[in-house]
Structures are given as structure tokens and as C-alpha cells.
Amino acid sequence: MCGIVGYVGRRSCAGLLVDALKTLEYRGYDSAGVAFFHDGIIETVKAAGRIQNLESKMESRIDVETHCGIGHTRWATHGGPTDENAHPHSSEHISLLHNGIIENYQELKAFLIEKGYTFLSQTDTETAAHLMDYYYKETGDFLEAVIRALHEIRGTYAFGIICKDEPGKIICVRQENPLLLGLGEGENFMASDIPAFIKYTKKYLVMEPGEIAILEADRVSLVDFDKNPIEKEPLVVTWDYEAAEKGGYPHFMLKEIHETPSCLRATMSPRVQDGLVRFDEKELPDHLLRDARSITILACGSAMHAGMVTKYGIEKLCRVKVDVEVASEFRGRPPLLTKDDLVIVISQSGETLDTLAALKMARACGAKILSIVNVVGSSIARESDYVVYTWTGPEIAVATTKAYSAQIAISYMIAARMAFVKGLMSEEALRDFTAELMMLPELVASLVERESEFRALAEQYCKYEDLFFLGRCLDYAASLEGSLKLKEISYIHSEAYAAGELKHGTISLITDDVPVIGLVTQTPLMEKMVSNLREVTARNARVMAICAPQAKDLLEFVDDLVVLPAARDELMPSLSVIPLQLISYHIAALRGCDIDKPRNLAKSVTVE
Ligand code: G6P
């Protein structure tokens, strides 16, 4: 949510800032703006809506000579998505942009109004600009003014700040919200995420909470809120610029679905040794799995659905009780965890605010934290005792696909390794399991190749406004993800239901206008699922079944049938998700939706 970019260096950067903002569109936003030094003043251009609106407003400014500027995409919280509320916000000497929420802004605003400041927006952010300006006038020192203001601001934030009297300098501040510094030759960058600067440099620093960076063309210095200097080693991005480009696909989402087989290989291969699932002792030691008596999984959105898959896998193979909690709900009650609990936190971005806050609560109870994260060095990774990374490269489309698939692949590996170290799975059985696991990339690739079949199904289902997904146990977990994918990107209302529960009320909603997608991949539950699908057929619903090969003959009565390749029951969510993703994708495409940036949604949710 919200994207921050900044540049200082030899290039003329007005266009660069706009292009950098485009690489962060995936984060979700509803207005955009830039501010840059030109001819001794700070020029600001802001526009509600898509970046294209900002670009149109910038037409005459795109080639102006400027070597330092900041840019922002805003996801509205305080005040609607208007030109005035877009960032950067300015005071007499200061212009700044902000990701996060200033909780005590009303109190600060009252103080500043009393001091004669006039507010032009409804945002919480404008108070920070005026407060820094107030202290700048008092001290005449840019950094000191920022620090004094920070000591008064309560809330979550990352800031990028420029001062009229100091062209060629950006002060970057990070508290809760992510901020990176891209380190170039004679130029430096500030950004919420790597795609904004990967075209220019692969060297970067991750700012940590409580750090301030002073960014100039040929130097970057870091201090804490008491001005103590901080030294840190740069990191190097391990993927290429092309990974953050569409590469000929019409949408990132489609590209990312197609990348799933290689992401699965990259994620799983380093965790297989001599044909057996084995984690590096540093990322996940065996004793942690052996000693686990009960597990709580904390996550949001699709990552929570990956948590559901993890629950069924671990409970089945390891006989260990697993609770899956939506992170925001977990936060709302006193936690019942102790130091004996293992908490698994799942997050693609590693920055989801609710997940991070839930992690901290669990940690405060003494629980051990294992996280499954995609973004290296992210907040969740840093706060965890152990981190297992999913190696999928950047995921740009708001609706997650390849990262979800990598998360559930890791979950099978954790379940299998846990069963082995607890003595519930023999070495031979683990070897067989591992061999089947390593077949997944190929099986997934065979499904991705069947895209035209799924597109044809999308044509049949795109006209409906309501849809039900049904499944039992692991298929129910997979249904939740299928349903979320569809509603996120196509705006079709859908519900995922535990199939046995349907007749307790909701079957009354089934009509010939409400089709049903049933998942039938779990061997012991197939007959029951078939009965449930017969029940909805009897209510005239159009029915699509996505099934394991052994269920095919039982399902001749359904309208549409997708037969998956054969795999053991535990691994089927990795297969069923591919048609679910591709059908949703093509339904959304047929309905003309903005697939990579669905309305109101954000990739990285950094507000509560
Ligand atoms: C947002 C995204 C979802 C994602 C969820 C959790 O809602 O749109 O795709 O599943 O956040 O994000 P995380 O980065 O923690 O996995």
C-alpha cells in the first residue's frame, strides 16, 4: 500500500520518477504525485486516479532539468483520493511523502493551526510536512527539524522528505513501513520496493525501523533518531530487471502463473538432499519440528489459505494440532500461546501489518516463530526466529499465484520433515514423498499448458454474478483460495463452502443462475463430494468438477469436468489451484477487468 520513490544524481529525473512509480503500481493506489527541484524551487504535480493522469499533467515537465525528486502512489486512508490529498504534501520549506498512518495527527494539527499553518488536504500526512517546517524555522537545520518532528509523531511510517534550501538531498525515514535505498554510481535511490530501481542498480540497503538516511548523489549516510551513525553492508538483488517486466504476457498475473513450475523448482530443490526433504539447520532445525506439540498459523488473505493447506498436511501426517488464525482476528483477543508453542507465520511480502503485529504478540508470549516469506530482509523475516524463504522472485500482480504455490510447497515439506523427525514417517516413505513432491513442477507445467481448455471454461462461466466453490478438507482449503482469486480479480461474488455444510442453509441460494465449482481430489471423501454435487445439480446449478483421475467416472453427470494429473492426496492443492487461477484470470479478462491492479486492493497491506 502506497509506493515511495526518490532519486538524486546525475540523470534528469522527472520521467524516471514517474516510471519508477509505475513499477510500484502493484502495491495498490488511487492517486499519485511527484515533487522535484527545478530552477531553485520545488515543483509539485499530483493527480487523482491512475499514474496515466499524473503523466498527462506532467507532459510539459517531463524533460525539465532536475536531479533530485520524490514520488508517491497513495492508497487513501484519511481523506478521499483527490488531487489535494495526493502526496507529496508541502509546507513553506518542506515537501514530503508518507506511507503509513499518523495516529496523533489531530492533536498535531490543532497545535499547527494555532501556530498559523493552513491545511489544504484532509490527510494525516500534511501535519508531518508542517511540523517539520515548524522545526526547520526554529532550528534552521533540515535533519534536526525532521528528528524533532519524529519525536512527536505517533503511528506507522516511512517518509521521503526534501527541503527547499537543500536541493540534492533526500531524508528518508523508516519506522514500520518498508523502505529501501538503491545504491548507484553518482546516484542513489529511495523506494518501497526493488522494482523501482533494479533497472539502474542491484546494490541496495534495507532500512530498519528507527533509521534515518540522508541521501545525496555521491553519498548515503544513516543515523538513528538520536543522530548516532549506523553502518550496514549493502545487499545485492538476486534477480534481473526482466523478472519485474511482463515479458510479452498481457498481465503480470498470467506471467506469474506460467512461472509457477520454475518457482516450485527453485523453492523445493535447495531443500532436498540425497532424495530426502531436509532443511538447512539455520532456516529450520529438526528439533523445532520434533518438539512441536501444537502449532498456530498466522496469516492474511491467500497466505491464510496456504495456512489452511498447511494445517491439513501437518495434522494428517504428524498428528499435531494446528490452528489457523486470521492475523487481524488473532490480534483482537488475548493470545493463548506459551513458550511451548510453535507459530508459523506465512506472508509473501513479509510486510502485512496485521501479520507482523500478530507475530509480535505471539513472540511476546514466548512462542517460537517460524516464517514462510518471499521477500528477503522483510520485516516479518527479521522478526522471526527461523525463516524459510519461497524463492519465487518478485510477485507483481496484486492477486498472488506463484507465491501461494510456493508457500504450499514449503508446507508439504515441513509436514513431511516433521513426520519423519517425529518418527511417524520412515526414511523410505520420506524418500517416496520427496520423489512425488519433486514431480510437482512437471505436473503443474502440464496444467499450465492446458490454458486454452480453462479459457474455454471461463467463457461459459463469465456471465454469472454469483458462484459457489465446494470442497471437503484439503479441497475446502483449496476452494477458499479459488473463490478469493475469482472475486479479487473479476468482482464476481463467490463463496467457498465446506461441502457438507452447504445444506445447512446456503443450498437455498443455489439456482440455475448460481453455478458451482466442486473440487474432488481427496480419495476418502470422493463419494461424499459426488453426493454434494448431485444435490446442487438437482437444484439446476451448472456444475464444474475439478477432480483427481480416480474420481472421473463418478462425475459423468456434471456439466464440465477438469481432470487433474495423478498425485497423492496431500499434494493435490498444488494441482487444483492452477485451473482455478487460470479460469479466474480468463473470466476477469473476458469481463475487461484491471487484472493486475483490481479496484481498491493492494498487494502489500500496511494499514490495519
Ligand atoms: C493482500 C494481497 C493478497 C495477500 C494478502 C496477504 O490482500 O492482495 O494477495 O494474500 O495481502 O499478503 P502477504 O504479503 O502477507 O502474503
Side-chain angles (χ1 to χ4, degrees):
M1 255 165 195
C2 298
I4 287 181
V5 301
Y7 175 84
V8 50
R10 58 196 149 78
R11 293 171 216 262
S12 195
C13 67
L16 180 151
L17 291 170
V18 176
D19 286 345
L21 285 179
K22 285 186 190 159
T23 69
L24 301 182
E25 281 192 282
Y26 71 88
R27 300 177 70 81
Y29 73 102
D30 34 41
S31 60
V34 292
F36 49 86
F37 289 94
H38 177 59
D39 268 354
I41 58 159
I42 296 175
E43 282 193 31
T44 304
V45 186
K46 314 200 276 190
R50 291 290 181 210
I51 291 178
Q52 284 67 26
N53 303 353
L54 175 69
E55 247 178 340
S56 314
K57 276 194 166 178
M58 285 278 289
E59 221 163 68
S60 64
R61 315 309 298 144
I62 215 92
D63 293 323
V64 296
E65 195 64 18
T66 172
H67 294 276
C68 179
I70 54 179
H72 188 263
T73 47
R74 170 175 186 254
W75 191 86
T77 57
H78 294 61
T82 61
D83 287 7
E84 295 71 34
N85 289 336
H87 301 205
H89 287 284
S90 303
S91 198
E92 192 181 336
H93 299 87
I94 300 288
S95 274
L96 61 73
L97 33 88
H98 167 219
N99 178 7
I101 290 178
I102 299 174
E103 283 161 9
N104 59 335
Y105 81 100
Q106 274 166 320
E107 195 183 298
L108 296 173
K109 191 170 174 175
F111 166 78
L112 290 160
I113 289 174
E114 203 185 297
K115 296 289 172 197
Y117 284 92
T118 311
F119 282 77
L120 303 176
S121 76
Q122 287 88 52
T123 64
D124 51 335
T125 302
E126 198 181 354
T127 53
H130 292 318
L131 192 62
M132 288 179 193
D133 186 75
Y134 173 78
Y135 285 121
Y136 182 69
K137 283 183 183 142
E138 205 170 277
T139 62
D141 182 317
F142 183 18
L143 178 61
E144 181 63 28
V146 169
I147 291 179
R148 287 210 191 171
L150 293 177
H151 283 298
E152 292 192 24
I153 290 171
R154 266 201 331 272
T156 58
Y157 51 82
F159 286 114
I161 314 153
I162 51 178
C163 173
K164 200 172 87 195
D165 302 331
E166 302 221 29
K169 184 184 278 185
I170 305 174
I171 294 189
C172 320
V173 185
R174 190 222 163 143
Q175 198 53 282
E176 293 286 334
N177 302 72
L179 203 53
L180 310 176
L181 306 175
L183 310 177
E185 298 291 326
E187 58 183 357
N188 289 304
F189 302 78
M190 153 187 85
S192 305
D193 202 358
I194 293 168
F197 57 75
I198 180 96
K199 218 168 165 180
Y200 309 99
T201 181
K202 285 190 158 191
K203 223 160 91 178
Y204 71 109
L205 291 176
V206 180
M207 287 185 72
E208 299 202 13
E211 290 184 351
I212 300 172
I214 301 114
L215 213 63
E216 291 166 281
D218 42 21
R219 56 183 242 144
V220 172
S221 40
L222 286 151
V223 293
D224 64 18
F225 286 13
D226 295 316
K227 286 200 196 158
N228 299 311
I230 297 168
E231 295 292 328
K232 54 169 68 184
E233 281 302 306
L235 304 173
V236 178
V237 185
T238 51
W239 42 270
D240 289 322
Y241 164 60
E242 291 72 40
E245 294 282 294
K246 278 191 209 146
Y249 287 92
H251 298 98
F252 279 109
M253 183 178 174
L254 190 59
K255 174 182 177 237
E256 288 162 2
I257 295 171
H258 279 258
E259 285 171 349
T260 304
S262 62
C263 293
L264 290 176
R265 263 180 223 112
T267 298
M268 295 193 304
S269 305
R271 282 115 189 181
V272 174
Q273 278 174 35
D274 304 326
L276 300 177
V277 170
R278 181 193 293 273
F279 291 90
D280 184 285
E281 272 294 297
K282 278 208 256 13
E283 66 175 0
L284 175 47
D286 278 345
H287 69 79
L288 195 72
L289 300 177
R290 189 181 308 119
D291 300 344
R293 296 280 166 269
S294 80
I295 295 175
T296 298
I297 297 178
L298 302 173
C300 298
S302 295
M304 192 276 288
H305 298 157
M308 294 281 288
V309 172
T310 311
K311 169 188 166 78
Y312 288 115
I314 294 180
E315 288 188 344
K316 179 171 176 190
L317 297 180
C318 312
R319 316 295 306 147
V320 169
K321 186 172 174 305
V322 182
D323 291 322
V324 183
E325 294 257 13
V326 173
S328 53
E329 287 293 304
F330 176 83
R331 290 181 68 194
R333 341 191 293 275
L336 298 175
L337 297 174
T338 69
K339 62 178 181 29
D340 298 326
D341 286 289
L342 172 62
V343 168
I344 302 181
V345 176
I346 308 179
S347 174
Q348 184 283 130
S349 64
E351 299 293 348
T352 302
L353 190 73
D354 278 318
T355 310
L356 180 60
L359 179 162
K360 288 179 182 168
M361 277 172 68
R363 215 192 152 111
C365 299
K368 284 168 277 313
I369 314 286
L370 163 66
S371 65
I372 302 173
V373 173
N374 194 40
V375 178
V376 176
S378 54
S379 303
I380 288 174
R382 281 203 324 274
E383 294 280 341
S384 302
D385 298 305
Y386 303 97
V387 185
V388 178
Y389 282 109
T390 47
W391 297 117
T392 75
E395 193 181 58
I396 310 281
V398 166
T400 179
T401 53
K402 62 177 181 175
Y404 168 85
S405 288
Q407 287 163 351
I408 62 176
I410 289 292
S411 86
Y412 308 143
M413 298 186 103
I414 291 177
R417 186 74 199 173
M418 189 185 285
F420 174 67
V421 298
K422 279 184 180 291
L424 298 167
M425 192 187 260
S426 68
E427 185 171 314
E428 204 187 330
L430 180 63
R431 195 173 298 283
D432 290 348
F433 190 96
T434 309
E436 284 197 45
L437 202 59
M438 295 313 285
M439 290 294 294
L440 275 183
E442 219 170 284
L443 300 181
V444 167
S446 74
L447 282 161
V448 174
E449 278 161 23
R450 286 165 57 185
E451 189 180 342
S452 56
E453 176 186 338
F454 307 136
R455 188 181 192 287
L457 287 168
E459 279 166 14
Q460 300 301 313
Y461 285 77
C462 67
K463 60 176 189 277
Y464 295 100
E465 292 305 328
D466 299 283
L467 213 140
F468 270 72
F469 289 80
L470 298 184
R472 284 173 178 257
C473 297
L474 257 183
D475 280 337
Y476 170 54
S479 305
L480 288 167
E481 179 56 10
S483 171
L484 178 62
K485 218 72 317 173
L486 182 72
K487 55 193 157 201
E488 275 180 316
I489 61 169
S490 75
Y491 315 142
I492 292 177
H493 163 250
S494 75
E495 306 255 0
Y497 244 78
E501 188 66 8
L502 189 72
K503 52 178 107 33
H504 299 289
T506 27
I507 198 162
S508 56
L509 297 175
I510 302 290
T511 66
D512 57 355
D513 252 350
V514 183
V516 172
I517 297 183
L519 300 189
V520 194
T521 74
Q522 299 301 296
T523 314
L525 304 171
M526 278 172 185
E527 285 174 2
K528 286 189 178 25
M529 262 312 292
V530 167
S531 305
N532 296 139
L533 293 183
R534 282 203 181 276
E535 286 156 15
V536 292
T537 311
R539 270 89 191 160
N540 302 321
R542 177 171 188 141
V543 174
M544 179 197 312
I546 298 178
C547 73
Q550 65 272 32
K552 185 172 171 237
D553 293 342
L554 302 173
L555 287 161
E556 273 161 1
F557 65 95
V558 301
D559 301 280
D560 304 290
L561 191 60
V562 173
V563 183
L564 300 169
R568 66 169 68 204
D569 284 4
E570 295 92 309
L571 307 184
M572 290 311 276
S574 289
L575 304 183
S576 58
V577 76
I578 301 297
L580 291 173
Q581 290 169 349
L582 283 169
I583 290 168
S584 293
Y585 170 83
H586 282 291
I587 288 179
L590 288 161
R591 290 168 72 104
C593 297
D594 191 354
I595 294 180
D596 286 337
K597 304 181 287 285
R599 67 182 179 217
N600 305 336
L601 297 184
K603 178 85 182 154
S604 179
V605 180
T606 51
V607 297
E608 293 172 286

